[in-house]
């Protein structure tokens, strides 16, 4: 059973040119797929654990598939405020949740980085904090923006 699948995904531009057409792939646990652009598709379908992606509620999907962008949004409050809010979501119930500070300590982050307001963190600190939080929530699939992926590929893979 593939962990994540996409079947015949296509996207056509208004002028008739195909941006991509009939893309299909399957990912097993531990596989890495690099996609240069993540663009919404207009045909085809995707599955997560053999269940159609559209059958998941948004909260459940977001607990199983997490995206860490190159430039994380500066949320109100601190990274720990954000983590404490997210871990209380019903979709996180009964999941193993790790300590993001412990994960971040491997990347030269301290407790103070997680207690600092988002807007006071540098871009690199924001990325590392966001990635530590995402990893601590143990998603089934972790999507990393290109720059983040290449920066952390030596650590994660």
């Amino acid at each position: 059973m593939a962990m994540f699948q996409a079947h015949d995904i296509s996207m056509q531009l208004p002028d008739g040119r195909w941006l991509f057409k009939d893309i299909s792939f399957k990912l097993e646990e531990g596989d890495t797929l690099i996609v240069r652009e993540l663009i919404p598709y207009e045909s085809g379908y995707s599955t997560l654990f053999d269940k159609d992606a559209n059958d998941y509620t948004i909260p459940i999907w977001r607990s199983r598939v997490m995206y860490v962008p190159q430039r994380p949004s500066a949320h109100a409050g601190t990274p720990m405020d954000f983590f404490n809010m997210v871990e209380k979501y019903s979709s996180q119930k009964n999941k193993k949740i790790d300590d993001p500070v412990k994960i971040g300590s491997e990347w030269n982050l301290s407790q103070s980085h997680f207690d600092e307001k988002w807007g006071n963190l540098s871009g690199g600190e924001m990325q590392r904090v966001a990635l530590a939080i995402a990893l601590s929530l143990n998603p089934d699939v972790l999507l990393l923006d290109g720059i983040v992926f290449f920066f952390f590929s030596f650590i994660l893979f």
Side-chain angles (χ1 to χ4, degrees):
M1 173 180 80
M3 182 180 216
F4 183 81
Q5 300 181 61
H7 301 276
D8 301 322
I9 294 175
S10 300
M11 180 68 169
Q12 191 172 21
L13 298 173
D15 65 8
R17 293 179 296 140
W18 288 97
L19 192 55
F20 52 90
K21 186 173 181 178
D22 300 327
I23 305 271
S24 297
F25 60 88
K26 293 181 182 181
L27 296 175
E28 302 295 336
E29 185 172 351
D31 286 351
T32 301
L33 173 70
I34 298 174
V35 180
R36 291 192 56 171
E37 298 283 336
L38 190 58
I39 300 169
Y41 52 88
E42 55 190 31
S43 67
Y45 67 97
S46 58
T47 64
L48 180 63
F49 296 112
D50 286 337
K51 185 175 177 180
D52 189 295
N54 292 318
D55 292 339
Y56 287 95
T57 63
I58 290 174
I60 296 297
W61 181 263
R62 287 183 179 164
S63 74
R64 299 193 74 177
V65 178
M66 294 195 177
Y67 171 61
V68 179
Q70 178 178 348
R71 179 81 174 152
S73 299
H75 299 280
T78 69
M80 279 312 288
D81 293 338
F82 177 71
F83 172 75
N84 291 330
M85 177 184 65
V86 171
E87 77 171 335
K88 292 177 185 168
Y89 290 166
S90 62
S91 60
Q92 299 297 331
K93 188 177 181 181
N94 301 321
K95 281 185 66 180
K96 178 183 181 293
I97 297 184
D98 295 318
D99 181 2
V101 177
K102 183 177 179 188
I103 293 169
S105 70
E106 297 178 25
W107 306 323
N108 296 321
L109 294 173
S110 66
Q111 178 72 48
S112 65
H113 289 97
F114 289 84
D115 294 332
E116 185 67 54
K117 296 234 182 263
W118 283 98
N120 294 339
L121 297 172
S122 71
E125 290 167 343
M126 262 193 210
Q127 288 176 341
R128 289 180 285 158
V129 165
L131 183 59
I133 290 171
L135 288 172
S136 72
L137 296 169
N138 290 298
D140 296 316
V141 176
L142 181 62
L143 303 173
L144 303 176
D145 199 326
I147 300 297
V148 177
F149 170 80
F150 288 110
F151 183 70
F152 288 105
S153 62
F154 69 95
I155 296 170
L156 299 175
F157 304 103

